């Protein structure tokens, strides 16, 4: 998959995207269809979440199912506070996911509604070398 | 030795972070490790010694969003 610059190019930070389709990874019936779906749709950005490891999980790390040319957008959906969101963002960057982060602070565990005030808070406490934050 | 592993009191016999991850049956290739809220890079796992009462978080990327 290649990124061709056009007049309609979308930029997140200094990274160009020709597709405006952002892909989530929460509802795939099988991880084996992630790569063919990305190829067919042209989507160049895909979200993933960071969680405690489940020792009983049988599937491999989801990153192994995502083509290398597709940009990873880790989210902070596991965060209950702004501080936890910053921690997750730092871990994701150190883990090799690049400088993108989708900020989410969720305190409503029944309906997963975001805490908007909490979601807007993290950028004020980002490290000086900031990540490209992308609240969606 | 007792540590807190992903929020649970856990007994381990390993001394190093890497050995503990293997001892507990996790896949070293796919997990991310924090000890006492400090991210430990994979290259440093074998040299990272665990101590009584340490808090260890093992994380991985999953579907979501």
């Amino acid at each position: 998959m290649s990124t061709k610059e056009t007049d309609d190019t979308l930029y997140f930070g200094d990274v160009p995207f020709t597709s405006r389709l952002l892909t989530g990874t929460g509802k795939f019936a099988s991880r084996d269809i992630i790569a063919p779906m990305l190829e067919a749709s042209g989507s160049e950005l895909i979200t993933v979440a960071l969680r405690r490891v489940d020792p009983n999980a049988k599937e491999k790390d989801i990153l192994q199912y995502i083509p290398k040319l597709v940009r990873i957008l880790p989210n902070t959906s596991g965060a209950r506070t702004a501080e936890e969101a910053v921690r997750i963002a730092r871990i994701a960057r150190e883990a090799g996911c690049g400088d993108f982060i989708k900020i989410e602070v969720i305190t409503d565990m029944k309906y997963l509604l975001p805490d908007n005030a909490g979601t807007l808070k993290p950028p004020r406490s980002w490290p000086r070398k900031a990540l490209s934050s992308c609240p969606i | 030795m007792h540590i807190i592993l992903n929020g649970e009191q856990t007994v381990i016999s390993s001394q190093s972070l890497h050995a503990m991850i293997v001892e507990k049956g996790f896949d070293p290739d796919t997990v991310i490790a924090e000890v006492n809220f400090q991210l430990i890079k994979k290259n440093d796992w074998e040299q990272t010694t665990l101590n009584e009462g340490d808090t260890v978080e093992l994380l991985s990327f999953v579907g979501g969003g």
Side-chain angles (χ1 to χ4, degrees):
Chain A
M1 193 178 306
S2 64
T3 301
K4 297 174 186 172
E5 292 200 34
T6 67
D7 291 340
D8 198 33
T9 299
L10 171 68
Y11 283 88
F12 286 146
D14 59 357
V15 179
F17 294 89
T18 56
S19 171
R20 297 183 180 222
L21 178 63
L22 279 60
T23 302
T25 50
K27 300 294 183 186
F28 280 96
S30 165
R31 291 181 174 182
D32 290 330
I33 62 176
I34 292 176
M37 183 286 302
L38 290 167
E39 179 70 27
S41 69
S43 177
E44 300 163 300
L45 194 63
I46 189 166
T47 63
V48 295
L50 191 65
R51 292 284 188 279
R52 281 176 168 167
V53 172
D54 175 2
N56 299 314
K58 293 187 171 53
E59 292 211 74
K60 293 184 289 185
D61 180 358
I62 195 167
L63 298 183
Q64 297 182 29
Y65 295 85
I66 299 172
K68 299 296 181 199
L69 293 178
V70 175
R71 176 83 50 165
I72 303 293
L73 179 59
N75 68 48
T76 66
S77 62
R80 307 286 170 266
T81 65
E83 289 71 26
E84 287 181 10
V86 172
R87 170 177 164 255
I88 291 172
R90 286 181 167 141
I91 291 171
R93 183 169 62 182
E94 290 296 322
C97 284
D99 286 347
F100 279 22
I101 191 74
K102 178 185 171 195
I103 304 168
E104 298 173 68
V105 174
I106 295 175
T107 53
D108 176 355
M109 298 318 296
K110 184 174 182 182
Y111 297 108
L112 301 179
L113 294 173
D115 172 356
N116 292 330
T119 297
L120 291 172
K121 187 177 175 188
R124 298 184 196 124
S125 53
W126 277 155
R128 182 170 294 177
K129 187 179 178 185
L131 299 105
S132 298
S133 57
C134 181
I136 296 172
Chain B
M1 172 166 61
H2 294 80
I3 63 170
I4 299 172
L5 176 61
N6 284 0
E8 302 283 340
Q9 281 277 356
T10 305
V11 177
I12 62 169
S13 56
S14 308
Q15 297 295 313
S16 78
L17 175 60
H18 184 271
M20 183 278 290
I21 288 170
V22 173
E23 175 190 335
K24 292 299 176 187
F26 296 104
D27 181 355
D29 292 335
T30 63
V31 300
I32 299 161
E34 278 187 324
V35 176
N36 298 329
F37 306 104
Q38 295 292 316
L39 185 70
I40 310 295
K41 293 186 176 175
K42 209 158 281 197
N43 289 342
D44 297 329
W45 284 3
E46 293 199 19
Q47 287 75 45
T48 299
T49 302
L50 297 176
N51 298 298
E52 180 76 24
D54 276 349
T55 297
V56 179
E57 291 282 324
L58 297 181
L59 310 160
S60 69
F61 287 102
V62 299

